[in-house]
Amino acid sequence: MRKVVVIGGGYGGIKALEEFARNDQNIEVTLIDQHTYHYLQTESYDLVASKIPIQESFIYLPTLVASFGKNFHFIHDEAVAIKEDQVVCKEGTYPFDYCVIATGSVTKFLQGFEKKGKHSLGVKSLRAALHIKQYFEEELFARLEPKRAKRSFRVIVIGGGLSGVEIAAEMRCYFNQYVKENALSCGNIEIQLLSKHILKGVDQKTRDKAVKRLRQLGVSLVPQYVNEITEQKAILSGGETIDFDFAIFAGGIEPSPFIQNLEYTKDARGFLVVDEYLRVEKNIFAVGDVAVLKDKEGNLIPPTAQSAEQSGVIAAKNILQAISNQPLQRADIRLRGLAIALGGKYAIIVTPFGFQISGILGWIGKKAIEKGYKWPLKLKAKQGFEKLTACKGEK
């Protein structure tokens, strides 16, 4: 029986598992992750804005993996190295015939941000999202007292990419709605989005519509880069400084320490260089944010949930092909449109056919995409719960 180890239970790792589960070959698949959950980062902003409970923001990995069958196993451990066809973790070593590296990326912080405390965080982890949610809820609760309600409060969001735009819009909408429902004054709560560019790389029509929506909500746009963060002060590229009460960093990613320690070929940023079949070595594949992904024309593919999912499927198919001594499939990753949540029941969907859907219809479409991904996994996890011996008889 061939052994396959998947490192990382993110979007790419989960799609690889699903692809392995669809085949009837005699393989044993082990998923290793330092967390016991698959974090649904696309829904993190709804979590921060208290639109969904915490259990709707993740999938429990032990039950999900159990649903795929007796040859699928979950190991809660942290990978630290790959040596001689073995994944070396803090708690054990796991041999493999084939391996898929799908550990994702981490936030690349600015100078000063690495010393972040209670006043500043990134947004790529469930723990960070919960911290931000708690901080804002405590601030809003305090504003029920008249004296505290008059105090000005400034949140800065650093980064004008998809994550920055979505979190700025959702938080502004969240504050607006809270104030409206509780008859409070909102003028002294400020959300600033700091970035030289908004949605760089997206078509001009979509950018213009997104900027218009941000301004309608009341988000202040500051068209400068942030060079450094000190204690509750942002130093801008133009030399100015901005004081803040809370900062959210949503710009830039870098490889995790695990990837940094690997000795495979990497690009200038430290991400793994893969061949046309997504291999870093003959029997080791890399997918999602950890890999330098390109389309068939050689154009770089941005790190998104879409590209992670597609690369996870391709890597799994190629492993199955290799086991069967069949030709491998060249990666042809293509982004099929774009969905941008812009606060409340408003979103923009850029379809692969060139037209847009915006407003509440865009929001409905985006939610349909999210639910279409989450609900099947939730159902599988429920089935896996029934299969786990330790859970027999529990309700």
Side-chain angles (χ1 to χ4, degrees), residues 164 186 220 230:
C186 186
S220 300
T230 60

Side-chain angles (χ1 to χ4, degrees), residues 116-370:
K116 58 189 182 300
K118 67 177 183 178
H119 299 293
S120 53
L121 275 178
V123 293
K124 284 188 69 65
S125 72
L126 178 57
R127 185 179 296 276
L130 289 172
H131 184 108
I132 294 170
K133 170 183 167 68
Q134 181 182 22
Y135 186 93
F136 288 144
E137 287 179 342
E138 289 177 351
E139 178 65 28
L140 290 175
F141 175 74
R143 285 176 177 276
L144 294 175
E145 299 295 334
K147 290 183 180 180
R148 185 69 177 269
K150 295 179 181 180
R151 187 179 75 85
S152 62
F153 182 72
R154 176 180 291 158
V155 178
I156 63 171
V157 179
I158 303 171
L162 187 60
S163 295
V165 167
E166 290 191 325
I167 192 66
E170 199 59 66
M171 292 313 304
R172 180 74 270 176
C173 193
Y174 174 49
F175 283 135
N176 291 350
Q177 189 63 32
Y178 182 89
V179 168
K180 180 179 178 181
E181 291 176 353
N182 294 281
L184 299 177
S185 172
C186 186
N188 58 348
I189 300 179
E190 187 177 10
I191 305 286
Q192 291 188 335
L193 180 58
L194 280 56
S195 180
K196 187 73 172 179
H197 305 284
I198 301 298
L199 297 176
K200 186 177 180 179
V202 177
D203 67 275
Q204 189 64 47
K205 181 180 177 181
T206 302
R207 290 202 303 272
D208 290 344
K209 190 171 288 188
V211 167
K212 181 179 179 180
R213 170 65 176 174
L214 289 169
R215 287 176 171 155
Q216 286 175 339
L217 289 172
V219 176
S220 300
L221 304 180
V222 181
Q224 292 194 53
Y225 293 120
V226 178
N227 287 339
E228 186 180 350
I229 291 288
T230 60
E231 183 63 27
Q232 294 187 264
K233 189 183 295 291
I235 303 172
L236 306 184
S237 53
E240 301 94 332
T241 62
I242 293 180
D243 295 323
F244 63 84
D245 294 279
F246 196 89
I248 300 172
F249 191 78
I253 60 173
E254 65 181 0
S256 66
F258 168 66
I259 299 300
Q260 294 174 22
N261 292 333
L262 297 179
E263 297 181 355
Y264 306 123
T265 303
K266 300 169 186 172
D267 70 355
R269 301 171 301 156
F271 293 99
L272 297 173
V273 175
V274 296
D275 66 12
E276 63 268 40
Y277 307 112
L278 303 184
R279 298 178 300 188
V280 295
E281 283 195 351
K282 185 176 181 180
N283 63 334
I284 301 175
F285 295 73
V287 304
D289 291 4
V290 303
V292 182
L293 300 177
K294 298 180 180 180
D295 61 20
K296 281 188 174 179
E297 287 73 43
N299 302 310
L300 286 174
I301 301 292
T304 65
Q306 275 193 67
S307 57
E309 291 174 32
Q310 290 182 46
S311 59
V313 171
I314 294 169
K317 285 183 175 179
N318 279 337
I319 288 174
L320 294 172
Q321 289 289 94
I323 292 173
S324 302
N325 295 316
Q326 297 297 317
L328 304 190
Q329 170 187 338
R330 292 177 180 268
D332 185 19
I333 299 169
R334 298 183 182 276
L335 299 186
R336 303 183 181 97
L338 176 68
I340 309 169
L342 288 165
K345 294 183 178 180
Y346 188 103
I348 300 173
I349 292 181
V350 182
T351 71
F353 310 106
F355 64 88
Q356 289 184 354
I357 305 171
S358 60
I360 191 168
L361 290 179
W363 176 81
I364 291 172
K366 189 175 191 302
K367 288 301 170 186
I369 294 170
E370 292 173 355

